[in-house]
Amino acid sequence: MRTPNHHDFYPKDLIPIGSNDLMALNERESYLHTPATHWLIAVEGVQLSQQKIYYHWKASIYPADSEGDFNWKEPFYTSPAMESMDHAIKLASSFETYGKKDHLSTLCLQEKIS
């Protein structure tokens, strides 16, 4: 299994998980044994396979502990890859806003449905 490109991994500040989001997180079987207390939101570079080094970008959300430890194999949500880093940063900022309002799980569920 390939490991993520941590060289192009740009995390934002940790956000405490609110009670609504924590309830939604605990409903997922894959997170039952993960003691998550915070969201780690990051912009990640996805290197394209071509001769020149070229990236697309995605915004990802990971459950983390208070120290920022997280399992990179199990994101709560990862956006599709985008050509523009600016778009990925803007999306990550909107995730941050929703996370602070304890509505991140609702937003991500709506995105998966659409």
Side-chain angles (χ1 to χ4, degrees):
M1 174 177 260
R2 290 183 57 178
T3 59
N5 183 356
H6 289 296
H7 178 72
D8 289 297
F9 183 85
Y10 304 99
K12 296 175 105 12
D13 290 337
L14 292 173
I15 300 168
I17 298 176
S19 58
N20 293 325
D21 286 343
L22 186 59
M23 195 173 357
L25 182 64
N26 287 333
E27 288 176 4
R28 294 186 178 194
E29 283 186 42
S30 57
Y31 299 113
L32 286 177
H33 305 292
T34 306
T37 57
H38 290 74
W39 292 122
L40 181 125
I41 299 170
V43 172
E44 299 179 68
V46 179
Q47 188 172 351
L48 303 178
S49 53
Q50 51 188 8
Q51 283 186 323
K52 287 188 173 184
I53 296 176
Y54 187 72
Y55 289 90
H56 278 181
W57 303 91
K58 60 185 179 178
S60 299
I61 304 166
Y62 294 92
D65 65 18
S66 61
E67 300 296 316
D69 292 330
F70 67 100
N71 182 350
W72 62 266
K73 293 179 185 178
E74 294 190 32
F76 180 75
Y77 177 80
T78 298
S79 74
M82 299 168 244
E83 289 185 31
S84 168
M85 184 180 195
D86 289 337
H87 289 138
I89 290 170
K90 190 178 282 189
L91 181 59
S93 293
S94 70
F95 288 164
E96 187 175 19
T97 299
Y98 277 89
K100 288 178 180 177
K101 294 179 181 179
D102 195 20
H103 295 302
L104 193 53
S105 58
T106 304
L107 174 73
C108 291
L109 289 174
Q110 288 173 353
E111 289 212 11
K112 286 184 179 181
I113 292 170
S114 337

